[in-house]
Amino acid sequence: MPETKDPVAALDAPDIPTRAAGARDLALAGTPEIVDRLLAMAKADKSPGVRLACAAAAADIISRDRLSGSSPEDTRRRWLLAVQGADPGLNTGLFQVAAVLSLPEAVNRIVVGLRDPRHDVRAGACVGLWRLVASAEANGDAALEARVVAALDDKRARVETRVEIARICAAAGFLSALGPARRAAEESIRNTRKIADEVVARLEAPPSGVGMYVDLGIDNGEARAPGKPRTYMALLSATDCVTANANVSRHAPGGPMRVMTGKLPGEEAASAALQVGRSTYWAAGGDDLCAFGDRVVAAGAFDLLDACEAVIGTSAAGLRVRGAALLARGDARGALDALEASVAGKKVPGDAWWFLAEALHVLGRDDEARPHLEKYLSKAAKKAPFVEEAKRRLGG
């Protein structure tokens, strides 16, 4: 819910809380036309909190146009001049603006900030650095990776900052950072050394990324609500995956690929993310796994579902997918075993009880199916696929 009725008007409010609230609302729904105003306030407002909120809002707005390139280069250069014309100590949030401008000079602004003598400026530059490299725009950009990794060996930066750069590289899937990360670890002590060693361990044994993902049409670091699922992907290896959207197919992931860390808007914890080309795939939940399985089953591609066995796993959702697939293949007894195990687990998909009842129905055990139909109806939405049939079997 917006905090203000008119966020643009709120920027003129005499009180600090209203101006900050207007900036936060614009971060969620503002358009590029307001960026110049936000950048002016990010440098000139009397309140440090409002300055930070305006810089963050400008960065969030620009992030929504980052991959589409809809903001012209001359406009982005005007915004960069506004950022360059301010002492970063005045507002460290301006590093986030530089991060989303898609300009080489903006990258230099962040790199220089990493070796600033002021702690808060270096911290702000690290935030900007993560926002720079997290986007799918950076996926496969060897020149950008080389420039960021080179900052790890820049002795003008404090060692704790270099360790933070290494941590960002590891989270971004920049595996070429291993050597410099080891050198930074050797120079570290106490808590910084512990963090550095953890980063080195991740770079030495990076995650394979094998798992289930969903494309929600949102970039990593983009300030916008996720859309509806567009494509489900079961990544089987670095060169093999099964995707399900309008079609179901098995192929090699197209374009450059990296396994990284990401966080969807509104989520507190980071999770695994996968970028293929300019698309970001997010770690799938139980509902996504079921949707993937249903699409593969509907396509009759049981061989592809079998290939995804390890990825589907044995969670409640995975067992529900197995049970529904076994039913579709005519194995009601095998389906019954899988579905009974599914409903005994945690985070059970709501329709698992329908498929369990269906397995019992096929086996001629309708009396045993009744409580599962009732359980399904207690959880299902009014227009869920099997609601009417479940009601019919229960006698209306």
Side-chain angles (χ1 to χ4, degrees):
M1 290 290 293
E3 299 179 62
T4 61
K5 291 183 179 180
D6 185 341
V8 176
L11 296 179
D12 289 321
D15 61 294
I16 291 172
T18 301
R19 296 202 303 278
R24 289 192 295 270
D25 284 345
L26 289 168
L28 296 173
T31 55
E33 291 74 20
I34 197 64
V35 168
D36 289 291
R37 172 81 183 281
L38 289 168
L39 290 179
M41 291 184 65
K43 296 189 293 182
D45 197 277
K46 294 181 180 180
S47 164
V50 172
R51 293 200 298 270
L52 283 170
C54 287
D60 286 350
I61 291 169
I62 300 169
S63 77
R64 292 192 280 273
D65 291 328
R66 187 172 182 180
L67 290 183
S68 67
S70 56
S71 295
E73 182 177 339
D74 60 345
T75 300
R76 289 182 280 117
R77 291 196 175 279
R78 184 175 73 245
W79 293 337
L80 176 60
L81 286 174
V83 170
Q84 290 176 327
D87 177 359
L90 179 72
N91 188 345
T92 60
L94 291 172
F95 286 115
Q96 294 189 53
V97 179
V100 296
L101 290 178
S102 304
L103 295 170
E105 302 92 325
V107 177
N108 187 60
R109 177 74 172 179
I110 296 170
V111 172
V112 170
L114 294 170
R115 55 178 185 257
D116 193 283
R118 294 165 290 185
H119 172 76
D120 60 331
V121 173
R122 295 196 305 274
C126 286
V127 174
L129 180 65
W130 169 245
R131 197 153 193 176
L132 171 71
V133 302
S135 169
E137 184 179 51
N139 184 28
D141 188 338
L144 176 61
E145 179 174 345
R147 190 168 189 190
V148 173
V149 170
L152 267 170
D153 275 328
D154 188 344
K155 297 302 176 65
R156 290 171 292 181
R158 294 175 65 92
V159 68
E160 59 267 29
T161 299
R162 290 164 55 205
V163 169
E164 178 62 11
I165 296 169
R167 189 192 65 79
I168 290 170
C169 287
F174 285 178
L175 303 184
S176 61
L178 176 57
R182 284 174 174 158
R183 290 190 285 274
E186 290 170 357
E187 298 175 32
S188 304
I189 59 173
R190 298 189 180 91
N191 289 338
T192 303
R193 179 58 185 264
K194 180 180 178 181
I195 295 170
D197 288 342
E198 291 172 354
V199 169
V200 169
R202 178 184 169 111
L203 288 168
E204 287 177 334
S208 68
V210 170
M212 185 67 63
Y213 300 89
V214 57
D215 179 1
L216 299 172
I218 182 171
D219 188 20
N220 196 2
E222 182 178 358
R224 181 169 55 82
K228 294 182 179 180
R230 302 197 303 190
T231 300
Y232 301 96
M233 173 189 286
L235 184 69
L236 308 181
S237 73
T239 58
D240 190 14
C241 70
V242 175
T243 55
N245 38 49
N247 300 302
V248 174
S249 62
R250 184 175 187 176
H251 51 86
M257 185 182 78
R258 62 172 171 167
V259 182
M260 61 185 313
T261 298
K263 187 169 71 171
L264 284 166
E267 290 189 352
E268 293 186 5
S271 61
L274 180 75
Q275 286 181 342
V276 180
R278 292 171 74 84
S279 296
T280 300
Y281 291 82
W282 302 89
D287 290 343
D288 300 316
L289 178 56
C290 291
F292 170 82
D294 290 347
R295 293 190 184 195
V296 178
V297 168
F302 296 109
D303 58 328
L304 298 187
L305 201 64
D306 291 341
C308 298
E309 182 177 358
V311 170
I312 291 171
T314 56
S315 65
L319 290 166
R320 179 275 197 209
V321 169
R322 293 174 192 276
L326 288 168
L327 266 177
R329 296 168 102 162
D331 183 0
R333 291 190 180 279
L336 180 62
D337 291 340
L339 293 161
E340 285 180 334
S342 173
V343 300
K346 297 179 180 179
K347 297 183 179 180
V348 182
D351 61 1
W353 282 279
W354 159 260
F355 286 107
L356 176 54
E358 177 68 4
L360 290 165
H361 172 70
V362 172
L363 293 170
R365 296 159 60 179
D366 284 322
D367 287 344
E368 295 176 58
R370 291 185 65 85
H372 302 304
L373 292 172
E374 292 167 351
K375 183 77 170 181
Y376 166 67
L377 289 175
S378 73
K379 292 180 171 292
K382 290 183 179 180
K383 295 184 179 180
F386 311 110
V387 165
E388 294 305 317
E389 178 60 17
K391 289 180 179 178
R392 187 191 69 79
R393 292 187 188 181
L394 288 170

